[in-house]
Amino acid sequence: AQKITQTQPGMFVQEKEAVTLDCTYDTSDPSYGLFWYKQPSSGEMIFLIYQGSYDQQNATEGRYSLNFQKARKSANLVISASQLGDSAMYFCAVLNDYKLSFGAGTTVTVRA
Amino acid sequence: DGGITQSPKYLFRKEGQNVTLSCEQNLNHDAMYWYRQDPGQGLRLIYYSQIVNDFQKGDIAEGYSVSREKKESFPLTVTSAQKNPTAFYLCASSISAKPQHFGDGTRLSIL
């Protein structure tokens, strides 16, 4: 299995501030996809953002942006203007040959 | 609405019993997946299927079995050989390299 590393088990952020969640991976395949998912306490997995390994520009989706540094095998998620509803577990994942491998996740708690 | 339906939401298993978790999708996706999630951890791939009548083992397939007789359905059986089955099980589907859509999950516990 591929190794996906999320070094921050938990983070606190003040409402309306930005937060960056770290993710590194170790795939040797030149073609892969990077995903971030949000998992609220209810358990469902919500897709947030996708970056292809050949995409030249960093992906953005509303308040979510992905800081993709291919040479460093890093794909950090930036959440801008945090809201209370952003409190959840966040998972980084790498898709390679139909298999999606997940990191251990980072718990984000947004404080009012 | 299109989506993935997992049932039941909660399931209890007795020692030595096989149980089957249902996963149905009406998204017309070719690929389907089963993941296991333990408390406070990420998802681990159990089995996946790219087309009907074909499936591959994931990273933790021991003690589990699947079938893919129809495009819409990918049931997972947790056999008595799985000694620690208590977990949250998530089913997903996708088209090629597109984002995977997930069901709401099944929580399995041992009686």
Side-chain angles (χ1 to χ4, degrees):
Chain A
Q2 296 180 97
K3 187 168 171 143
I4 318 297
T5 303
Q6 294 182 250
T7 57
Q8 308 146 310
M11 296 187 72
F12 291 94
V13 59
Q14 206 62 33
E15 196 177 10
K16 299 180 185 174
E17 292 185 351
V19 61
T20 298
L21 309 184
D22 296 339
C23 174
T24 58
Y25 52 92
D26 72 350
T27 182
S28 57
D29 195 317
S31 178
Y32 53 90
L34 293 155
F35 298 80
W36 277 92
Y37 284 87
K38 172 183 177 181
Q39 187 179 42
S41 57
S42 52
E44 73 267 31
M45 294 290 283
I46 302 168
F47 164 71
L48 297 178
I49 195 166
Y50 165 79
Q51 176 93 37
S53 58
Y54 292 115
D55 293 343
Q56 296 296 316
Q57 289 194 316
N58 286 344
T60 59
E61 289 285 348
R63 295 187 297 110
Y64 304 107
S65 60
L66 205 153
N67 182 5
F68 180 47
Q69 298 183 47
K70 190 172 182 177
R72 296 181 59 189
K73 295 188 177 178
S74 166
N76 298 340
L77 176 71
V78 180
I79 306 173
S80 61
S82 297
Q83 302 171 357
L84 295 177
D86 293 335
S87 294
M89 191 92 159
Y90 290 81
F91 292 98
C92 175
V94 175
L95 180 69
N96 198 298
D97 193 24
Y98 273 95
K99 293 177 65 174
L100 194 62
S101 300
F102 286 82
T106 295
T107 300
V108 172
T109 303
V110 180
R111 289 171 165 160
Chain B
D1 283 352
I4 300 176
T5 302
Q6 287 188 242
S7 62
K9 192 172 177 120
Y10 298 94
L11 186 58
F12 298 92
R13 194 193 91 169
K14 295 180 180 177
E15 294 284 345
Q17 187 181 46
N18 292 355
V19 291
T20 298
L21 284 61
S22 170
C23 178
E24 303 277 332
Q25 55 101 356
N26 60 6
L27 299 166
N28 200 33
H29 287 173
D30 290 312
M32 296 187 74
Y33 309 79
W34 274 106
Y35 294 91
R36 169 182 171 138
Q37 185 179 29
D38 292 286
Q41 297 186 29
L43 280 66
R44 293 183 291 168
L45 182 64
I46 305 173
Y47 269 98
Y48 65 105
S49 167
Q50 296 178 30
I51 55 172
V52 175
N53 292 323
D54 188 41
F55 49 82
Q56 287 78 40
K57 292 182 179 179
D59 301 317
I60 55 165
E62 187 173 348
Y64 300 97
S65 65
V66 293
S67 62
R68 187 83 186 279
E69 297 175 2
K70 298 187 299 181
K71 188 175 186 178
E72 304 79 26
S73 179
F74 191 41
L76 173 75
T77 297
V78 183
T79 74
S80 56
Q82 172 49 246
K83 297 307 178 189
N84 184 24
T86 297
F88 186 49
Y89 291 87
L90 283 158
C91 177
S93 70
S94 73
I95 295 177
S96 185
K98 299 297 182 185
Q100 293 186 356
H101 295 254
F102 284 82
D104 289 340
T106 293
R107 294 191 186 276
L108 175 62
S109 301
I110 295 296
L111 287 177

